[in-house]
Amino acid sequence: GAGVSQSPSNKVTEKGKDVELRCDPISGHTALYWYRQSLGQGLEFLIYFQGNSAPDKSGLPSDRFSAERTGGSVSTLTIQRTQQEDSAVYLCASSLGTGLGTDTQYFGPGTRLTVL
Amino acid sequence: AQSVAQPEDQVNVAEGNPLTVKCTYSVSGNPYLFWYVQYPNRGLQFLLKYITGDNLVKGSYGFEAEFNKSQTSFHLKKPSALVSDSALYFCAVRSSGNTPLVFGKGTRLSVIA
């Protein structure tokens, strides 16, 4: 079946512009996660959605970052007034659930964001 | 707070030799441990996980990992390395409940022919 897809695969923007990154999770997966991977760094958790519960936003680095998940499926990560330090690969993952046995996360290919 | 340490940024091993990629963790309560692999310009792929039960967990591509509670470790192993195993490997941990995964910084494995 189809895996997690993300678009665009690459995004180059100018400092100060807003960007939107999209994630399509695996069909039927109730949990969706966003991570950031900077050069030479591990994965930094940003936000996750589980079903209809309020999202866990504890990893968002600033109020310029926000995310939505519409209809329990597609998610959009928005970065306002981009800065050069926002340059990274943004990874999305989904899992069937968050309980034992259902919490394995499956990752998309990522969006490489470059802020000039 | 949860944390994961991968003490080696880089591991080099000759093809055919056994490989070990180290991971130690810190978590309150029972740990749920994962290994992921990232090939160049690709997303992360799930290798294996430990929830409970046998300390030796077998996963994809011939990899296995051993959970050691007393040493708080979850090292990734493979008996005979392949050149195609060269990639970036991430260890991750979460505790019970709706807690997000915490990833290590990754270890780059290079298998030399």
Side-chain angles (χ1 to χ4, degrees), chain B residues 8-89:
Chain B
E8 301 154 316
D9 292 337
Q10 173 92 32
V11 170
N12 297 319
V13 64
E15 187 176 30
N17 282 4
L19 69 87
T20 299
V21 183
K22 295 179 181 177
C23 171
T24 59
Y25 66 89
S26 174
V27 67
S28 301
N30 293 324
Y32 306 122
L33 295 150
F34 299 76
W35 276 101
Y36 283 84
V37 59
Q38 186 177 35
Y39 296 101
N41 300 314
R42 302 275 297 275
L44 274 70
Q45 295 180 30
F46 170 74
L47 276 180
L48 51 81
K49 71 176 179 182
Y50 170 83
I51 299 175
T52 186
D54 290 342
N55 290 341
L56 186 64
V57 179
K58 294 187 182 297
S60 306
Y61 312 121
F63 283 94
E64 58 190 28
E66 186 169 10
F67 171 65
N68 187 316
K69 187 173 183 179
S70 63
Q71 297 185 4
T72 61
S73 68
F74 190 57
H75 301 332
L76 182 70
K77 300 182 180 184
K78 187 173 182 181
S80 179
L82 301 173
V83 172
S84 57
D85 293 330
S86 299
L88 189 57
Y89 290 81

Side-chain angles (χ1 to χ4, degrees), chain A:
Chain A
V4 177
S5 61
Q6 293 185 245
S7 61
S9 55
N10 280 285
K11 177 72 176 179
V12 180
T13 190
E14 294 178 349
K15 178 181 173 181
K17 301 279 189 180
D18 298 352
V19 295
E20 286 189 352
L21 312 180
R22 177 187 168 105
C23 173
D24 281 88
I26 293 172
S27 177
H29 280 197
T30 64
L32 185 149
Y33 312 78
W34 283 98
Y35 296 87
R36 178 168 69 176
Q37 184 178 20
S38 303
L39 189 63
Q41 299 295 314
L43 272 71
E44 176 188 5
F45 164 74
L46 297 177
I47 184 171
Y48 94 93
F49 301 86
Q50 167 53 35
N52 296 321
S53 302
D56 178 345
K57 303 180 181 181
S58 60
L60 294 178
S62 78
D63 59 8
R64 297 187 294 106
F65 288 73
S66 63
E68 290 184 341
R69 188 179 186 192
T70 54
S73 180
V74 172
S75 177
T76 301
L77 177 69
T78 301
I79 309 173
Q80 296 179 308
R81 306 181 302 282
T82 52
Q83 304 294 314
Q84 288 182 332
E85 60 262 29
D86 298 334
S87 296
V89 176
Y90 289 81
L91 292 168
C92 175
S94 70
S95 64
L96 193 59
T98 55
L100 298 183
T102 64
D103 63 343
T104 299
Q105 296 181 28
Y106 296 91
F107 283 78
T111 293
R112 182 176 297 278
L113 175 66
T114 303
V115 182
L116 302 177

